[in-house]
Amino acid sequence: MSPDTANSYRMGPDERGHFGLYGGRYVAETLMPLIREVGAAYEEAKNDSAFHEEMGRFHKHYTGRPSPLYCAERLTAHLGGAKIYFKRDELNHTGSHKINNCLGQILLARRMGKTRIIAETGAGQHGVAAATVCARFDLPCTVYMGSVDIDRQAPNVFRMRLLGAEVRAVESGSRTLKDALNEALRDWVANVHDTFYIIGTAAGPAPYPEMVRDFQCIIGDEVRTQITEAEGRLPDTVVACIGGGSNAIGLFHPFLDDPDVRIVGVEAAGHGLESGEHAASLTGGSPGVLHGNRTYLLQNDDGQITDAHSISAGLDYPGIGPEHAWLKDVGRAEYVSATDAEALEAFQLCARLEGIIPALEPAHALAWVIRAAPELPRDHILVMNLCGRGDKDVFSVGDALGIAL
Amino acid sequence: MSRIAARFSALREGGRAAFMPFVSGGDPDFDTSLAVLRRLRDAGADLLEIGVSFTDPMADGPTIQAGGARALAAGMTTKRVLDLVRAYRAEDDKMPIVLMGYFNPIYRYGAERFATDAKAAGVDGLITVDLPPEEEDELRGPVERAGLDIVRLVAPTTDEDRLPLVLERASGFVYYVSIAGITGTRSPTMADVEFAVGRLRRFTDLPVAVGFGINTAEQAGAVARVADGAVVGSALVREIGAGGPDMLDRVGALARELAGGVAGARA
């Protein structure tokens, strides 16, 4: 049954990896057999309780799950409206939600007998998480990273190297995340037999959008249990930032069939949507095909991909996971945006009021919360995914505020 | 009979394979690129493969990436590539011309309109690198209605279970990607190429061309002994990229050498 006609929003994708018009497998023939092999292996693993048990053990003892659901009382009082909870995925090992996905994929790679791991990274959070699981499972790891990002994320580059990964600078194209993805795909084409590609977000050719979503759904599943314990009911609103969209789909998906739960994704508006310098593919882009899937893209009239801009390197991507594209079109989720300046404000407010330095990525979600919460009643329960911690961002925030560190 | 079929059939009668050069359309600019195409024809090209540039060419190595980037920087668009074909076609009605690129620019252009415009410009076939048979439905209809060939890529990783699906509605010729990798990096061993082409012939009667990693007249000749065509891209694009006042002469000389390798292969 196609997701369009199902009476559930959680049925997708179809057997060919499509979410309505979006998703699919747009890759060169060389990769097709391998992608299909990954799909088949994932189907098998998904239905194997031993796979889930092993993953569960690592979630608990290595990652530190479940992450807390924390009532942000001072922020709630400050904004004077909705009751705000943070899902504390920034407390995970490696400091973000990225480890949820890397753990799942490396266990799959091992099942498939692959002996080498590649990954792409923008801000370095996914690269660090991939390098971490590779160290833990003793597999060589090559991380592709745009040379522009290497310059602005030096601490994460060093972390990856400490963890034993090789970081390869990408000099092609705009030398950022999208080019790192291209280069990782090129590596994969040339090393199809021994290499597993750990994609960092819920995008790329099928089965990646579905697989990464499934690995991230632990976020939303935990929230359901935790908010029911805390409040005796489901939240009224769930909100998350969106770059590729993996933390957001992980929070959203378990709530898609609860019609009373409002779902809000916050994209990076950079200098503002009207400036043309942003990373808001859904609110400021159009459908196209890139990196193996059809989705919303930042592109010009000729179908050439244009550069994204965001103060947050983790949101600085001209595409978006295909399931979000579908959820936008069918209207189940709302997609809004927050600018660099709003995210910077939110970043500082959170540090001062809650004693939590958020990553710049969830600071975008928080910026929307700051806008929306005062207009909502006090019995409105809002859960925001605090998907990463901000230690990595202190230098760029210092720069933006004109403070030399 | 299409220009592609006519050319391969004539070559087959003459007992030789096709020399099939690839360049990015508009590299380094529109006028120079048109001059390059003329040089390739004069040097003995049997079919022209013209790249439609894309910002994110995931199957291409650094050389072809650079060629595409030069074309984009010179203001080339999908529409301008069709203009380039039209300009060339005005001088040469026989040469088969195949466009090679990625799906997004076609999708953005509109598949129906693109197929119609490409046909009108004088294009004979399309290779859309990231559009496997599983995803091609929306392009297939318009392209068939317009009367263009859909050339399919077959890779070393394509197993025999998958081959029938890939070849099912292929037309024009089949393009065998000789290495598991990107363009212009490694070269295949001729034993592997011979084996793969032999396998393909059991599944299709279409001409089989071989590309990726063919750089020299000797390699082109070796391919031409077993296949119906040899595609050379990166070696030519590298000469274009090196530029200089004698660029056209150097490209022409290299093309003549490669064409000679192919023509003399079965002598």
Side-chain angles (χ1 to χ4, degrees):
Chain A
M1 187 180 286
S2 91
D4 282 330
T5 56
N7 52 15
S8 166
Y9 288 104
R10 304 189 66 190
M11 301 294 284
D14 67 18
E15 69 285 351
R16 280 168 40 206
H18 292 232
F19 301 89
L21 199 77
Y22 305 101
R25 276 192 184 112
Y26 295 86
V27 298
E29 176 58 29
T30 315
L31 276 183
M32 274 306 277
L34 188 77
I35 296 263
R36 292 167 55 85
E37 191 192 322
V38 173
Y42 178 59
E43 272 309 304
E44 204 184 280
K46 199 163 71 173
N47 298 310
D48 179 355
S49 57
F51 180 74
H52 293 281
E53 278 159 27
E54 188 178 17
M55 196 154 59
R57 275 198 306 280
F58 279 97
H59 277 323
K60 183 172 178 194
H61 301 291
Y62 193 64
T63 305
R65 300 207 75 92
S67 66
L69 183 69
Y70 164 75
C71 182
E73 289 178 17
R74 292 199 67 212
L75 183 69
T76 299
H78 177 79
L79 297 173
K83 186 171 184 182
I84 298 158
Y85 282 87
F86 290 161
K87 177 60 172 166
R88 301 286 306 275
D89 253 52
E90 101 280 13
L91 292 176
N92 293 338
H93 181 41
T94 74
S96 80
H97 68 290
K98 294 290 188 188
I99 189 87
N100 303 335
N101 168 46
C102 287
L103 194 55
Q105 288 201 46
I106 201 151
L107 293 178
L108 183 65
R110 277 159 53 92
R111 276 176 80 97
M112 294 178 71
K114 300 297 180 185
T115 55
R116 173 176 178 262
I117 300 293
I118 56 172
E120 86 295 339
T121 199
Q125 291 303 94
H126 172 61
V128 167
T132 296
V133 297
C134 285
R136 174 59 186 79
F137 291 99
D138 193 24
L139 288 174
C141 178
T142 300
V143 179
Y144 288 93
M145 189 169 185
S147 60
V148 169
D149 290 333
I150 286 182
D151 289 343
R152 60 181 175 176
Q153 301 287 338
N156 272 342
V157 174
F158 184 57
R159 278 186 195 107
M160 287 184 268
R161 289 183 173 144
L162 276 176
L163 291 159
E166 178 200 357
V167 180
R168 277 192 205 165
V170 175
E171 301 289 353
S172 60
S174 59
R175 293 173 288 146
T176 58
L177 177 56
K178 83 172 173 74
D179 310 287
L181 245 149
N182 289 333
E183 217 51 49
L185 285 166
R186 290 177 187 128
D187 179 312
W188 206 19
V189 170
N191 297 286
V192 284
H193 296 295
D194 66 347
T195 298
F196 189 96
Y197 180 15
I198 300 187
I199 295 184
T201 193
Y208 282 96
E210 174 193 7
M211 177 165 71
V212 176
R213 173 200 73 198
D214 291 350
F215 292 145
Q216 293 295 359
C217 271
I218 193 165
I219 300 170
D221 287 336
E222 286 178 4
V223 168
R224 280 185 84 90
T225 307
Q226 291 167 322
I227 197 73
T228 307
E229 277 169 16
E231 296 281 350
R233 67 181 181 90
L234 295 183
D236 297 293
T237 299
V238 294
V239 54
C241 64
I242 304 218
S246 70
N247 94 85
I249 201 70
L251 174 65
F252 296 173
H253 201 260
F255 293 101
L256 290 178
D257 287 338
D258 299 292
D260 295 335
V261 178
R262 182 182 178 195
I263 295 176
V264 181
V266 186
E267 295 191 292
H271 296 317
L273 293 183
E274 64 293 333
S275 73
E277 294 180 6
H278 59 79
S281 325
L282 286 173
T283 45
S286 54
V289 173
L290 178 69
H291 294 151
N293 59 174
R294 187 194 318 242
T295 187
Y296 278 79
L297 301 174
L298 301 180
Q299 56 182 328
N300 68 16
D301 289 341
D302 188 41
Q304 307 297 336
I305 307 306
T306 54
D307 291 344
H309 166 80
S310 170
I311 188 169
S312 148
L315 303 180
D316 204 346
Y317 178 65
I320 175 84
E323 195 163 12
H324 287 295
W326 176 70
L327 288 170
K328 173 191 160 76
D329 281 10
V330 298
R332 177 59 189 102
E334 293 165 53
Y335 294 93
V336 298
S337 64
T339 63
D340 286 355
E342 290 175 303
L344 275 170
E345 279 298 317
F347 180 94
Q348 296 170 82
L349 187 72
C350 189
R352 282 200 310 274
L353 288 180
E354 294 293 346
I356 297 171
I357 299 177
L360 279 170
E361 291 81 17
H364 285 73
L366 188 59
W368 180 83
V369 170
I370 291 169
R371 247 187 281 152
E375 313 297 323
L376 296 166
R378 284 166 196 274
D379 62 352
H380 187 103
I381 299 171
L382 190 155
V383 176
M384 186 197 97
N385 194 20
L386 217 171
C387 62
R389 66 171 183 236
D391 309 45
K392 69 179 173 64
D393 293 319
V394 293
F395 293 99
S396 21
V397 170
D399 267 358
L401 299 176
I403 299 162
L405 297 182
Chain B
M1 194 186 285
S2 75
R3 290 188 193 96
I4 295 174
R7 180 61 49 99
F8 276 107
S9 147
L11 288 169
R12 193 169 280 182
E13 272 173 36
R16 67 178 194 92
F19 167 52
M20 305 160 68
F22 167 96
V23 293
S24 293
D27 171 20
D29 59 64
F30 187 99
D31 292 337
T32 312
S33 191
L34 184 58
V36 166
L37 295 178
R38 290 181 187 127
R39 293 293 183 113
L40 294 173
R41 172 197 64 207
D42 296 344
D46 297 301
L47 181 151
L48 294 175
E49 271 187 30
I50 300 178
V52 182
S53 297
F54 181 46
T55 38
D56 295 80
M58 69 176 174
D60 287 309
T63 306
I64 306 273
Q65 287 175 42
R70 285 191 297 270
L72 288 174
M76 288 304 288
T77 58
T78 303
K79 186 178 166 301
R80 290 291 284 158
V81 173
L82 296 183
D83 291 342
L84 181 69
V85 172
R86 192 176 298 108
Y88 178 84
R89 185 56 83 206
E91 308 168 6
D92 180 353
D93 192 43
K94 291 281 190 293
M95 179 72 76
I97 295 178
V98 172
L99 295 186
M100 184 161 182
Y102 295 80
F103 185 51
N104 197 53
I106 295 176
Y107 178 60
R108 188 72 177 165
Y109 196 103
E112 192 78 52
R113 193 162 69 91
F114 175 76
T116 312
D117 290 0
K119 179 69 180 181
V123 173
D124 301 299
L126 298 180
I127 303 173
T128 316
V129 176
D130 56 349
L131 200 68
E134 287 88 340
E135 304 287 356
E136 73 171 3
D137 285 356
E138 65 195 291
L139 186 61
R140 161 75 53 190
V143 164
E144 281 182 346
R145 279 194 290 282
L148 298 169
D149 284 322
I150 291 196
V151 175
R152 279 266 150 238
L153 299 175
V154 173
T157 49
T158 311
D159 58 30
E160 296 199 358
D161 287 343
R162 191 175 159 70
L163 260 180
L165 171 73
V166 174
L167 296 173
E168 190 181 19
R169 292 182 294 180
S171 57
F173 61 94
V174 176
Y175 186 136
Y176 180 67
V177 175
S178 69
I179 52 157
I182 53 178
T183 53
T185 48
R186 294 179 281 141
S187 295
T189 69
M190 285 310 144
D192 287 349
V193 170
E194 188 165 2
F195 176 81
V197 172
R199 185 181 70 150
L200 268 174
R201 293 205 195 282
R202 286 190 280 117
F203 286 84
T204 181
D205 294 329
L206 289 170
V208 177
V210 175
F212 282 47
I214 301 170
N215 295 304
T216 64
E218 194 190 351
Q219 287 168 332
V223 163
R225 271 189 285 280
V226 296
D228 302 300
V231 183
V232 181
S234 295
L236 292 162
V237 172
R238 195 171 299 121
E239 285 301 334
I240 296 173
D246 63 342
M247 183 273 280
L248 286 173
D249 292 336
R250 292 196 328 270
V251 169
L254 175 60
R256 248 189 317 281
E257 219 179 283
L258 292 162
V262 171
R266 300 184 199 163

